[in-house]
Amino acid sequence: MRYLPKSPADRGAMLESIGVGSIDDLFAPIPAEYRLTRDLKVPRQMAEAEIVDWFRERSRENGDNYAATFLGAGAYYHYRPVLIDALVSRGEFFTAYTPYQAEVSQGTLQAIFEFQTMISELTGMEVANASMYDGSTAATEAVMMAARLSQRRSVVVARSVHPEYREVLSTYATHQGMSLLTLPYSESGRLDLKELERAITQETACVLIQSPNFLGTIEDVGAVAELAHRQGALLVVSIAEAVSLGILEPPRQADIVALEVQSLGVPLGFGGPYCGVIATRQQYVRQMPGRLVGQTTDRNGKRGFVLTLATREQHIRREKATSNICTNQALMALMATIFMTIYGKQGLAELAKQNLAKAAYAAEQFGKHAKVLFPGAPRFHEFVVQTGEDPHAINNRLLGHKIVGGLPLKKFYPELGNAALWCCTEMTTRTAIDTAAGFISESERSGKSAPETDVEEVAR
Amino acid sequence: MRYLPKSPADRGAMLESIGVGSIDDLFAPIPAEYRLTRDLKVPRQMAEAEIVDWFRERSRENGDNYAATFLGAGAYYHYRPVLIDALVSRGEFFTAYTPYQAEVSQGTLQAIFEFQTMISELTGMEVANASMYDGSTAATEAVMMAARLSQRRSVVVARSVHPEYREVLSTYATHQGMSLLTLPYSESGRLDLKELERAITQETACVLIQSPNFLGTIEDVGAVAELAHRQGALLVVSIAEAVSLGILEPPRQADIVALEVQSLGVPLGFGGPYCGVIATRQQYVRQMPGRLVGQTTDRNGKRGFVLTLATREQHIRREKATSNICTNQALMALMATIFMTIYGKQGLAELAKQNLAKAAYAAEQFGKHAKVLFPGAPRFHEFVVQTGEDPHAINNRLLGHKIVGGLPLKKFYPELGNAALWCCTEMTTRTAIDTAAGFISESERSGKSAPETDVEEVAR
Amino acid sequence: MKHPTRKATRHVSQNEGLLFEKSSPGKMAWKLPPLDVPEVDTKRLLGDSQRTALGQLPEVSEIEIIRHFTRLSTWNYAIDLGMYPLGSCTMKYNPRVNEVVARLEGLANGHPYQPEKISQGALRILKTLSECLLEITGMDAITLQPAAGAQGELTGLLMVRAHHQTKGDPRKKILIPDSAHGTNPATAATVGYAVENLKSNAQGMVDVSALSAQMNQEVAALMLTNPNTLGVFEQEIHKIADIMHAKGGLLYMDGANMNALVGKVRPGDFGVDLMHLNLHKTFSTPHGGGGPGSGPVAVKQFLEPFLPWPVVITKADGTLGLDYNRPRSVGRVRAFYGNFGMFVRALAYIFANGPDGLRQTTEDAVLNANYIRKGLEGAYDLPYPTPSMHEVVFSDKLQAKKGVRTMDIAKRLIDYGFHPYTTAFPLIVPGALMIEPSESEPREELDLFIEAMRSIAEEVEEDPEMVLSAPHTTRVSRLDEVTAARNPVLRWKPQG
Amino acid sequence: MKHPTRKATRHVSQNEGLLFEKSSPGKMAWKLPPLDVPEVDTKRLLGDSQRTALGQLPEVSEIEIIRHFTRLSTWNYAIDLGMYPLGSCTMKYNPRVNEVVARLEGLANGHPYQPEKISQGALRILKTLSECLLEITGMDAITLQPAAGAQGELTGLLMVRAHHQTKGDPRKKILIPDSAHGTNPATAATVGYAVENLKSNAQGMVDVSALSAQMNQEVAALMLTNPNTLGVFEQEIHKIADIMHAKGGLLYMDGANMNALVGKVRPGDFGVDLMHLNLHKTFSTPHGGGGPGSGPVAVKQFLEPFLPWPVVITKADGTLGLDYNRPRSVGRVRAFYGNFGMFVRALAYIFANGPDGLRQTTEDAVLNANYIRKGLEGAYDLPYPTPSMHEVVFSDKLQAKKGVRTMDIAKRLIDYGFHPYTTAFPLIVPGALMIEPSESEPREELDLFIEAMRSIAEEVEEDPEMVLSAPHTTRVSRLDEVTAARNPVLRWKPQG
Ligand SMILES: Cc1ncc(COP(=O)(O)O)c(C=O)c1O
Ligand SMILES: Cc1ncc(COP(=O)(O)O)c(C=O)c1O
């Protein structure tokens, strides 16, 4: 087998030096009755060329030749500068372990320190950790952290938070005896502040909102923060689209920010690996989950970096740890670090502005033919369009033109009827927007409303 | 501009420290009347994404989705193990210069030393150089080297040497006052030995043959060597398909071997960059062109490698140098080194054997319908097929099935009529062979012989 | 260095500051294509939500970025550079073809919500990998959703809980051996269980009679690592399973050490009810300096209804789809379908190996560990003489007499050109040296390792200070972790 | 080190033997797909031509190959690690996007003989690059075929020869300034010309009156590097051209130093008849540890008929094609069409820059060289005080008094974390230090370089032995080149 660096002679000599007659002697501790005496039924050993071919075929079956996509909803298609893969493909980065041994891991450690710094700047928080699994678990762990900090067990969640994030929160919270109260969005697509005021009590550990939220609207973070803080509750803000922070005021009033950084240079990759991160105030850092890198000095006073505050973590604190997380998403955090470095202060603002402009144009074009919901609040690069016809049907026709339409929302928000969430980024060309607008216009003009059963479920 | 690491402030401060008022002061030595006062008319600065898109478009126009190719003729489509690009993409390799400063270039130097060793082994020669531009210039320079060694000026060349190699030789030889005599191939597709015997004289510096030759046949190197050596001429053997050496006896009787190593892991790349190399006997090394790496020791007796025997080269010897070559094809030599390491002793033999088997099968299938020329001599993985119809026409139909047919030979060997040179490698599937055989059979059965003028010139 | 090593030398290495220290206004590494839609008035669109300042993000050029991260990278040790014998981490070769296939256009750019009809490739990968992992573990059903081992544990314990709840018997406790990894108790706590410690016996295995005594109707499951963190196979695994099952408890296996078992024995065959795998250990996906990982959970049939949603199904028309309609499911543990990129890599690894390669891999991993064990016996204390599988745990008992502890030996190993082993784990071995070579080490590298470790043992006798003050060959000397934790500096700030 | 540097430190570095020393029968890194056609009897097919033994090719596994070449790579200095101020080499940033586009399927796998109708993409690249280079040089026609600068020179001189021959006036000599690169005279000799040296004047420029005197009907051309190898622009270029043209000679320009001119001045505008470019210098294609390069030759219209075949043409139907029907052509200088992969990269570089970027690049290159010159004045002898363009040449005159020569200073520079400059070239400067920073260096790196060079100058005064015995920080100390040349060991051989 080509990955194994041994010749038959090597194996023989090693067995001899160990003092056993055969390799099976080393497996003697396994009770004989359980030992496998047959080959595993997995595909036969394949040549490299065969492996590449097999996956190429899968890639082709997976829409590798689509011209445009209007899908967002927590996973965003941005341009990934080629520097990212060029750098993360260096073996010294991607084949290294967690930097436990600082003296031979300064590369990873310094890069994480830079990540923590940039995320702090981007979110307007004081500190950030080294990463969480993704945006959904970051939001969930942020809520747990808020519960520990506030010593309270009730959580108020906006319904405009990503539905799958809410599902994850619910999974985790259920078994911790925490109660979740989900609040509706208002006419403007924002969390209903009146409902919120009523819902928050002295028992409320925190309020969880997302901004821009799942419906594309930007929440009034200041107002929510005030209502939360008035009752001693913390505010946790989840952000699924990190590029938005290039042009949107960060949620400085929040106590904890849970960010998904996929859009900063991490491939869409059919949903993962992505990279969550938690940022917060300095004072809360000892309740923060996840790894942290800190600056220190060596014996000669030279600057260096180490993993620190490990007493929060499972390998030291075991059942009393702030989280069970161990392996995290370091390589994706490195991708994001490189992405943020490439765009920098100016570029990130310009990038976000292009996203804003593309979506504004698209909303305007679509709005000529169909209803763009929630016009009352500002948005970044996603918006909800309501059509007469089921959006699955429109999308099916668009697919024929190699364009993937917006995400039909019926599954998550049935009350919105024939609505879909459309997203534009710097990758969305005017041509694609105009084409999609054409299909929507045609659908509306012909007054189509195909029965849903005829339509393939094009979004899950 | 994103490649330039300067801020406006940096530039200002630097000008100030130099003591000039503006950048244009530094360009004062250029007479004013010649200075360009307008923008160059080249495309405007493009974003990285635009650049990628532009070349993607070109890639698509360049047959990026073809299922199979039967083209060989000096450029061979073999599988390139992914390790090659993973390793040569390390900046330490591809962004380094020629290893002039040995103490900070041991990586490149050791790799070249390994290349020289493997090429020596592969060709059956004693020493090999660090690389030449390609197979054609390697053959040409080998002939020049033979002329220096023999102190003679006449060269005998087999017509079965790659036509473009012969063109290059002719270009170089013309202005050196060397005479070239081109000898025909015999019935078997090999150099006509009787003609050779007659042609070689005491004036003959060397005989140049290629094996396997351009027509796919393996030359009788021993017999040619004997005839050459009998008259004190040297034998230069050009090898365009290095993979053949996995299963073919190397030309040990040759004095100089000029090899093209493209097929050892270098991409087809529309003809370049490829990588030539010259191998020879130890005693001839001081007349060898190109760079050489030698083993030595440092001040503590530790093994190390350096560029050596530089007194042969242009930067020391100027007009008396063995060649004008300076920059060579180091990175391609590294690719070949990695390729040879991956396949190794056993793998290279097996690889060559698969090539042999594929071509044998194809020749058998094609031979059922059309005439396979030169059956009298052994061949490796190329063979000439003669059809009733112009092969351009058959190829045109095959193209419609995303298969690129063999190379029509009329341009190079008009005497062969409707002949084409077909090549199979380990990449050629049985399906592709059967499909092509089907088209040939169909062509022959329908007795087609379309007038050539109707047919697009599908090969150049 | 007293004992010179054949393994490493010192060489000139580039310094590099923080990115922020290289930043200067107007430098840039980006350019956007011209905007093809009308410009917008940001203020008008965003009002108060408009951001005015982007803080301290750096401004640098492309070449500076290449150099910055290239230089940083050269300060790291990595599998690509040499043996990385971290016990419990299975640092094996990360095949390059995995990286290539994971970056294929349709896989790297697939959107998780794209229509099923253009997602058949990705779904096929999920399905094929699932089938392979089930065959390898001997289990019946699987979820690929968990992002890492710890989240696999969590998913597993949620299913344990759901199982007991469904039976109307919500239990309270999880038994965990004292040798277990920290994520085990941390996970149990996260799921709301009380953790009860299980003491190991003198062989480093589960004390079966103690287990018998501790096992009762309150216990939901035993979380067992097998081979355990000493690298020891639980030989009485059948008894353990029986004890658990007899009292309605489940046997959860932490599969972090599957590299000792693949192709040789299947947990599903020896009584395990559910388990997680670490694709980033056993199945060669790269660690990436700390992640990503992937922690699929495989279960026996009776637990299948509790798997997180969605699950991959074959639809009536033969195409693949995702089923969200799973009323008894524990729910979702992360957004989308898991760390898909790792599935691609793990499957490519399985393809490259085939059944024969997988078995040989396991055999070589065990061979390597035993070779090291043999090579170091005598020089280091072996607290548990029980046969080793894929890793071996020594202690610093002999060296501690000279005041040298496992961490010191680890640091000194760096000077010999190696990444250290795992220190101070498992907790049942005071001063542990936990060594896992994996199958990826040639004999040559193992010999150098043994030579280095023996040389250090001699140094401890002759010149302990040399070891205590190690490393001596790195660009920074030993770093002050205490101050780092006492006054945490977790981000760069502009001077002044 | 007496004067510590901020630029570099020492760090642990892996040793690695030769591949052959790791080989063991039965190890492998390859696997072929199953053969889908019948097996063949090799002996029957090949007879005596069958090979029986493959010699000493190594047998190793994949992980060993990755480690071998990764370890080797870490022993190299590279542009990606820092400034690489080799004069005359233009070591600039090699953009990563170039590498990506050069590897696109249709370009990387395009066969040189594939039908024109599926080669339109490649031909379009040839054409677009040709147009850009013609605009940049101010010339009329171009060939991209030459594989490197030296082959460009050869192609150019062949055209010079063809030009004179066509006129029935085959000339015999080429004039070459004494400051020229070795390839110039070597090429002239290869083409069968006699070389006549042209002495530089006190400013390091062509001595115009000497040129006048030497120029006659025997002289085919002057090969001029401009700026020349001292980094000096030939200010009397118009006179030089006039002198050549007046006597029927041609002005050939070695364009190795085009990085000083692009976007600021065009050789075609100042009297050059033909010239070559080095895409691997001016146009950012990577040097690859010694190649590949690419040396296009651009000419004035009257030389167009002599260009090597084939040339790209636009056909009647608007598609592109290759024209081989070139009766007056000098012929072919290599197989196929040149180093196509380098064309892709060079064009990507031009696209990334645009007209403004190209000009700014040139300005920054000249700015950097002058900044270094200013920074080192006084510390090192400047033999020619003429203004510098993109590079500056000092001499070791001051240091030679202490017995320290340019090569010693170069080796010491390694300890300061830099790759040395070019030593001992051009020949007109005894003990030359030829420094070309290129535009890719940030001010920070230039300051460190100046600091290092000044520090070395001080060391020469205080402790010359420190410099003479340098480098001190590399994994090997100074290597014995004399023995290497005397007893050449050019390949590994098995022991015994
Ligand atoms: C035995 C054991 N269990 C669990 C884990 C946790 O796995 P992960 O880091 O993937 O969350 C580890 C990881 O080191 C481990 O070694
Ligand atoms: C001035 C000059 N001319 C010619 C050459 C030769 O170019 P190449 O190495 O591409 O053949 C060089 C290369 O260093 C050079 O510096």
Side-chain angles (χ1 to χ4, degrees), chain B residues 97 326-327, chain D residues 88 148-150 153 181 183-184 225 229 254 256 278 280-281:
Chain B
Y97 201 74
C326 177
T327 293
Chain D
S88 211
E153 296 170 22
H181 191 264
T183 51
N184 292 187
T225 307
T229 59
D254 178 332
N278 299 60
H280 47 302
K281 299 184 181 192

Side-chain angles (χ1 to χ4, degrees), chain B residues 176-197:
Chain B
Q176 308 233 336
M178 285 169 61
S179 74
L180 296 181
L181 180 65
T182 306
L183 296 187
Y185 50 85
S186 70
E187 291 279 276
S188 67
R190 287 172 159 183
L191 171 59
D192 191 321
L193 292 180
K194 285 200 217 80
E195 294 270 1
L196 179 66
E197 187 163 10

Side-chain angles (χ1 to χ4, degrees), chain B residues 103 121 171 176 270 302, chain D residues 110 190 332 411 475 480 491:
Chain B
E103 297 82 0
E121 291 291 332
T171 305
Q176 308 233 336
F270 204 66
K302 203 167 159 183
Chain D
T190 305
R332 173 185 278 292
K411 296 296 183 196
R475 45 181 305 114
D480 183 353
R491 50 155 300 172

Side-chain angles (χ1 to χ4, degrees), chain B residues 1 3-6 11 14 17 24 29 34 36 38-41 43 45-46 58-59 61-62 66 72 75 83 85 90-98 101 103-108 110 113-114 116-117 121-122 126 134 136-137 162 164 167-168 171-172 175-176 245 247-249 268-273 286 293-299 302-303 308 314 318-319 324 328-331 341-345 347 353-354 358 378 396 399 411 430 458 460, chain D residues 17-19 21 30 33 36 42 45 49 51 54-56 58 68-69 72-73 75-80 84 89 91 94-95 103 106-108 110-119 121-122 135 150-151 158 161 180 182-183 185 187 189-191 235 238 264-266 269 286-292 309 322 332 334-337 339-341 351-356 359-360 364 368 371 374 411 439-441 475 477-480 485 489-492:
Chain B
M1 205 281 129
Y3 299 162
L4 298 174
K6 295 222 171 50
R11 293 192 180 98
M14 289 172 71
S17 111
D24 277 328
Y34 300 130
L36 208 61
R38 60 164 177 86
D39 274 359
L40 286 170
K41 292 189 201 97
Q45 203 177 116
M46 283 160 69
R58 302 291 83 70
S59 168
E61 294 166 0
N62 221 55
Y66 272 68
L83 257 56
D85 276 355
R90 285 186 60 83
E92 291 92 331
F93 280 130
F94 88 95
T95 80
Y97 201 74
T98 304
Q101 296 289 344
E103 297 82 0
V104 282
S105 309
Q106 284 297 301
T108 296
Q110 181 169 329
F113 185 79
E114 292 172 338
Q116 292 174 180
T117 305
E121 291 291 332
L122 201 61
E126 287 167 351
D134 74 343
S136 71
T137 58
H162 194 303
E164 296 200 3
E167 288 173 17
V168 174
T171 305
Y172 275 68
H175 299 286
Q176 308 233 336
L245 291 168
I247 204 159
L248 296 188
E249 185 61 11
L268 279 174
F270 204 66
R286 279 168 210 270
V293 169
Q295 181 177 314
T296 187
T297 49
D298 77 356
R299 294 187 174 180
K302 203 167 159 183
R303 175 170 72 185
T308 194
Q314 46 72 28
R318 301 179 76 85
E319 61 268 33
N324 69 335
N328 49 87
Q329 305 289 120
L331 201 70
T341 309
I342 291 169
Y343 281 99
K345 202 178 197 150
K353 201 169 169 194
Q354 277 212 357
K358 298 269 188 170
N396 251 347
L399 263 191
K411 180 181 156 195
R430 181 181 197 138
V458 289
R460 293 177 295 278
Chain D
L18 290 163
L19 278 165
E21 296 161 351
W30 61 280
D36 63 356
T42 312
L45 287 183
S49 303
R51 184 168 202 160
L54 246 167
Q56 301 292 340
H68 179 77
F69 290 101
L72 258 55
S73 77
W75 306 345
N76 276 359
Y77 194 91
I79 263 288
D80 280 9
Y84 212 126
C89 298
M91 291 297 283
N94 304 137
R103 284 174 170 82
L107 305 180
H111 191 286
Y113 288 148
Q114 73 192 17
E116 274 176 4
K117 76 166 144 197
I118 59 168
S119 299
E135 165 67 5
Q151 214 191 19
L158 288 172
R161 183 160 212 135
T183 51
T187 301
T190 305
V191 182
Q235 297 184 25
H238 48 303
K264 303 293 286 187
V265 62
R266 311 190 315 160
D269 294 343
H287 279 261
W309 69 63
L322 289 166
R332 173 185 278 292
R334 50 153 292 170
F336 313 122
Y337 325 112
N339 282 345
F340 177 77
F351 286 170
N353 273 288
D356 47 340
R359 184 173 46 232
Q360 180 81 69
D364 279 4
N368 278 358
Y371 187 73
K374 183 76 182 184
K411 296 296 183 196
E439 72 280 5
S440 301
E441 297 311 322
R475 45 181 305 114
S477 61
R478 220 184 281 194
L479 288 155
D480 183 353
V489 178
L490 304 175
R491 50 155 300 172
W492 174 85

Side-chain angles (χ1 to χ4, degrees), chain A residues 36 38 41 75 90 96-97 103 108 121 164 167 171 176 247 249 269-270 296 302 328 358 458 460, chain C residues 36 49 51 73 76-77 108 110-111 115-116 135 190 238 264 287 289-290 309 332 336 411 475 480 491:
Chain A
L36 207 60
R38 59 163 177 87
K41 292 188 201 97
R90 285 185 60 83
Y97 201 74
E103 297 83 0
T108 296
E121 290 291 332
E164 295 200 3
E167 288 173 17
T171 305
Q176 307 233 338
I247 204 160
E249 184 61 11
F270 205 64
T296 186
K302 202 167 159 183
N328 48 85
K358 298 269 190 172
V458 287
R460 295 176 294 278
Chain C
D36 62 356
S49 303
R51 184 166 200 161
S73 77
N76 275 0
Y77 194 92
H111 191 286
E116 273 176 5
E135 165 67 4
T190 305
H238 49 301
K264 302 294 285 187
H287 279 261
W309 69 65
R332 174 183 277 292
F336 313 123
K411 296 297 183 196
R475 44 180 307 114
D480 183 353
R491 51 156 299 173

Side-chain angles (χ1 to χ4, degrees), chain D residues 42-319:
Chain D
T42 312
K43 186 74 208 161
R44 194 180 60 75
L45 287 183
L46 298 178
D48 286 349
S49 303
Q50 188 190 3
R51 184 168 202 160
T52 44
L54 246 167
Q56 301 292 340
L57 290 193
E59 293 177 78
V60 290
S61 65
E62 223 179 275
I63 170 82
E64 289 171 286
I65 299 175
I66 286 283
R67 282 193 186 156
H68 179 77
F69 290 101
T70 301
R71 288 172 178 175
L72 258 55
S73 77
T74 63
W75 306 345
N76 276 359
Y77 194 91
I79 263 288
D80 280 9
L81 287 171
M83 179 168 167
Y84 212 126
L86 280 174
S88 211
C89 298
T90 314
M91 291 297 283
K92 61 169 65 183
Y93 172 49
N94 304 137
R96 283 313 182 280
V97 69
N98 298 3
E99 300 305 311
V100 170
V101 295
R103 284 174 170 82
L104 289 170
E105 185 82 7
L107 305 180
N109 283 340
H111 191 286
Y113 288 148
Q114 73 192 17
E116 274 176 4
K117 76 166 144 197
I118 59 168
S119 299
Q120 291 299 307
L123 295 173
R124 177 65 54 198
I125 289 167
L126 296 177
K127 183 144 197 295
T128 309
L129 176 63
S130 295
E131 287 164 359
C132 289
L133 296 179
L134 289 175
E135 165 67 5
I136 288 167
T137 54
M139 309 296 282
D140 302 319
I142 195 166
T143 175
L144 303 177
Q145 198 174 101
Q151 214 191 19
E153 296 170 22
L154 180 126
T155 308
L157 291 196
L158 288 172
M159 294 171 74
V160 168
R161 183 160 212 135
H163 162 76
H164 288 299
Q165 266 168 349
T166 305
K167 302 210 140 165
D169 173 25
R171 298 182 173 206
K172 301 218 169 66
K173 286 195 296 195
I174 299 287
L175 294 180
I176 300 181
D178 49 9
S179 59
H181 191 264
T183 51
N184 292 187
T187 301
T190 305
V191 182
Y193 279 115
V195 173
E196 193 167 299
N197 243 290
L198 200 61
K199 283 198 97 155
S200 306
N201 66 16
Q203 283 75 50
M205 295 192 263
V206 167
D207 185 326
V208 173
S209 52
L211 174 65
S212 262
Q214 280 178 265
M215 180 60 200
N216 59 36
Q217 314 289 350
E218 297 244 282
V219 174
L222 164 65
M223 287 184 94
L224 188 71
T225 307
N226 193 19
N228 66 26
T229 59
L230 294 168
V232 168
F233 191 88
E234 296 285 352
Q235 297 184 25
E236 300 191 295
I237 184 68
H238 48 303
K239 292 197 198 147
I240 296 172
D242 289 349
I243 292 167
M244 293 309 298
H245 294 155
K247 299 237 171 95
L250 300 188
L251 178 56
Y252 180 97
M253 184 175 121
D254 178 332
N257 292 342
M258 267 304 282
N259 213 44
L261 307 183
V262 175
K264 303 293 286 187
V265 62
R266 311 190 315 160
D269 294 343
F270 59 63
V272 167
D273 299 302
L274 75 172
M275 66 178 293
H276 79 261
L277 294 163
N278 299 60
L279 300 187
H280 47 302
K281 299 184 181 192
T282 318
F283 296 93
S284 86
T285 78
H287 279 261
S294 177
V297 177
V299 301
K300 285 290 170 66
Q301 193 57 45
F302 70 98
L303 293 170
E304 193 275 343
F306 308 118
L307 290 175
W309 69 63
V311 298
V312 181
I313 50 164
T314 306
K315 298 198 292 191
D317 65 357
T319 64

Side-chain angles (χ1 to χ4, degrees), chain C residues 179 203-204 228-232 384 388 391-393 426 428-429 434:
Chain C
S179 60
Q203 283 74 50
N228 66 25
T229 59
L230 293 168
V232 168
Y384 293 93
S388 297
E391 67 190 355
V392 56
V393 180
I428 56 168
V429 175
M434 187 192 208

